[in-house]
Amino acid sequence: MGTAATSLPPASGLAATWWSPKPQVGNTHPGATSPLGMVSACAYSGAYPTGYGRYAKSTEGVPEEMLESLQASGFTHFQQSGTGAIRKYYNYVRVTPMVQPLDDLGEAWPLQDETAAAGYYAATLDTGIRCELTVGEKTAVHRYTFPASSSARLVLDLSCGGLAIEHGRTVPLRAHVESLGHGRAQGTVVMEGVPLSVYVEVHSPNWRQMLWYDRRLVEGGTRLDFDSIRQTTLRPFGLLFMGRALAGQAVEVRLGFSLRGCDQARENLRRECGEGEQSFDDVRTRTSARWADHLDRVRVDGGTPARRTVLTTALYHSLIKPCFGDDESPFWPASGPFAFDVCTMWDIYKTQIPLMMAITPDRAADLLESLIRVCEEEGNFPIGYRMARGADRFFRQASALAHTALADGHAAGIGDLDWSWALVHMEADLRRLYGEDFFEHGVAYPISHTLDLAYAHQCTARIARALGDKRLADELEARSRLWVNAFDSSTGLLRDSEFYEGGKWNYSFRLLHDMRARITMAGGDDAFVAMLDAFFGFGAGPVTQPGPRPSPTTMAAGYALNRFEGLNNEPDMEAPWAYHYAGRPDRTAELVNAALTWQFGTGAGGLPGNDDSGGLSSWYVWASLGLFPVAGQSLFLVNTPAFSRAALRVAGGEFVIETTGHRDTPIGADGAETTPPTQYVQSATLNGRPCETTHISAADVYRGGVLHVELGPEPSPWGRSARPPSLSDCRPEATRA
């Protein structure tokens, strides 16, 4: 799901009024992964952006095809998941099974009979070789079943990296490769400043093993060293295993990876694969069991088979990234968690990290500890963090987003962090980069950074107050009120500015820490609801979506709609819940129902846009459950669930969302889903007690319990008077600096 261009039924009703500016493709891949593990493995075509698939680089509209059909030149490791443009794209250590000469390395063969499951990928090359991949947390195991051949080959290309598109190739800086004999080899390649080490074992009796350079065998050589590689001097290099293959003979390739040298790569391989000659089935079984455990942490009853498939796949995509390599940081020697591929923090902080805190609190704690260590070692909390050295940290997109996760983690009591030390870094980070302008002038441009920084000040103030530092808490909270400087009080919208992938309407309805004052600035509930209605397309006609290579005029006209971008893009993905703060949760129910119905489906084209490291998929999970996390505020907004019953396995046991009056999506005469009617919350109870508000605390969820929601076909008074909390509820109104 999401590996191909979006292919969904034409939307009707409200969803038909939304506009999709970003590439209409999920940009996921079907390769083998382990839950939040370090390694992935997949067929490699060189296409944008994961290295799998058929598409050329695309930043808007319908993605262009680079290849006519699915093909692969081998199988690589370390892929992105659902991102747009994150500069380089990994795909290191390509393994290619061949029955052709080494000169043909790099040729691509059509893929047939593809099969994918959690932790497993398989396909047959046009050469007749059946290829199977599985991974552990720090290892990959390949199994290749050959046709009869007098000269079968397994070729490892350690110089490979990046994509087969213009400026998409990754050039190694330094490398060494060593053939150890008896089917064993090792090497380290410095890619984007990171030393990636691999230890290899190939079980192929009576096969020869040799080094190769520039597609020529290095007879008798046991080691290649490259002290300095440039774009102009790079020639491919690696290892080759060659011999006779009987029809149906399977050869297994085991690879242990590490960012701390070949010895640790070998230890990782031994720990996960043991000493035996065959380990593919054992590794696959263990990884499959890990996935079964993780996917079992969200269970639903009711709904159509298609809805359950989409939900489970969304949960799967939500748990691929970030990558965790415990004790693997290449940048500092200390042990402990090391998280990378935090590639779209501006998306995942809203939905995916809260999902991790709910169902994988141990890994959420590791993520927070890793972020603190990055700040300690590099001087900044990252907005994004890849497996790369350097300043590519995406500061243009947003500011100080790690503060939201830290505030939620502290409130939830997860992990064993030194919160006093964390507070030191949080407070210092607020004055870096765009924070300098905010500190000096009370505003930062692009204007969305003003909202980021004001919100981060409030998140940091919460921790300072909990730790007893009242002076610091008061100072930070005072600055958190400067969010008003981002708005034009005459329009109730953000000031004119540049915006990342959107316009001021897309950023004007994010969930702030003082929504009561925000709504007052807009003119009150009715005026705010009217603005939201216009933004979401109530009463508007259908729009035409951009096609391939949309012109600047087409894109400008789309942005001029000032319209919700649906789930094709994420800047405004929390905006449907803004209605809760104006007493109209019925509107939220209508919007979420339309999105779940028309913007997701089964099949390769089942996502409306980039999955963005799980940010989009985790939105689907929360929306289906009838909950939405307000990142940084430790609360959940309550909405109509898409299933009759759901259960989350949380730290305190199980949190259940059950309903009465729920109606499943209707099925037409042809067996296809028809448009489900919107259902509205009539009343709710939490652990048997009436719940008059449209929110519950995160603590209520994490300790376990039962939220019972009564649904009906018409809007009700529920949620119209009791609003979610805002900063100015008990304090002075926000004032402009």
Side-chain angles (χ1 to χ4, degrees), residues 713-735:
E714 300 293 337
S716 75
W718 181 82
R720 289 188 177 270
S721 56
R723 311 294 171 82
S726 290
L727 178 62
S728 60
D729 287 345
C730 302
R731 297 178 183 273
E733 291 286 351
T735 55

Side-chain angles (χ1 to χ4, degrees), residues 260-459:
R260 287 188 172 177
C262 294
D263 288 346
Q264 188 154 314
R266 183 179 65 251
E267 292 171 5
N268 292 339
L269 184 67
R270 286 284 174 267
R271 183 172 56 254
E272 296 190 26
C273 295
E275 298 282 354
E277 294 179 343
Q278 303 289 329
S279 59
F280 187 96
D281 291 333
D282 289 343
V283 172
R284 180 186 177 186
T285 297
R286 288 195 299 270
T287 299
S288 178
R290 282 198 299 272
W291 272 118
D293 172 66
H294 281 72
L295 297 176
D296 195 50
R297 298 180 192 189
V298 177
R299 305 186 70 178
V300 297
D301 295 323
T304 63
R307 282 282 176 105
R308 292 194 295 272
T309 295
V310 175
L311 175 73
T312 307
T313 307
L315 182 59
Y316 166 78
H317 284 148
S318 301
L319 296 171
I320 293 176
K321 304 291 183 179
C323 292
F324 285 89
D326 295 337
D327 307 324
E328 290 287 353
S329 170
F331 307 129
W332 51 84
S335 60
F338 177 66
F340 58 93
D341 281 4
V342 188
C343 285
T344 60
M345 178 71 89
W346 50 96
D347 300 322
I348 67 173
Y349 86 94
K350 300 176 184 179
T351 53
Q352 187 192 28
I353 294 178
L355 184 63
M356 290 177 62
M357 288 189 179
I359 64 174
T360 60
D362 53 339
R363 272 312 189 196
D366 290 342
L367 175 61
L368 299 185
E369 183 177 339
S370 183
L371 291 173
I372 293 170
R373 177 54 63 89
V374 171
C375 186
E376 181 179 286
E377 297 286 343
E378 301 188 9
N380 296 90
F381 278 111
I383 299 301
Y385 199 80
R386 300 183 302 115
M387 190 172 73
R389 182 184 291 277
D392 190 4
R393 298 291 186 262
F394 315 105
F395 289 117
R396 188 168 70 92
Q397 281 89 328
S399 293
L401 299 181
H403 296 61
T404 64
L406 287 161
D408 284 341
H410 180 267
I414 68 170
D416 187 25
L417 279 69
D418 183 341
W419 286 106
S420 295
W421 188 227
L423 179 61
V424 169
H425 289 303
M426 293 175 70
E427 195 271 336
D429 188 70
L430 293 173
R431 302 192 186 192
R432 297 185 177 117
L433 300 172
Y434 292 100
E436 295 178 5
D437 291 336
F438 185 79
F439 182 77
E440 293 180 6
H441 308 296
V443 66
Y445 289 89
I447 204 68
S448 59
H449 290 261
T450 299
L451 299 185
D452 293 338
L453 288 160
Y455 199 76
H457 274 73
Q458 176 60 25
C459 292

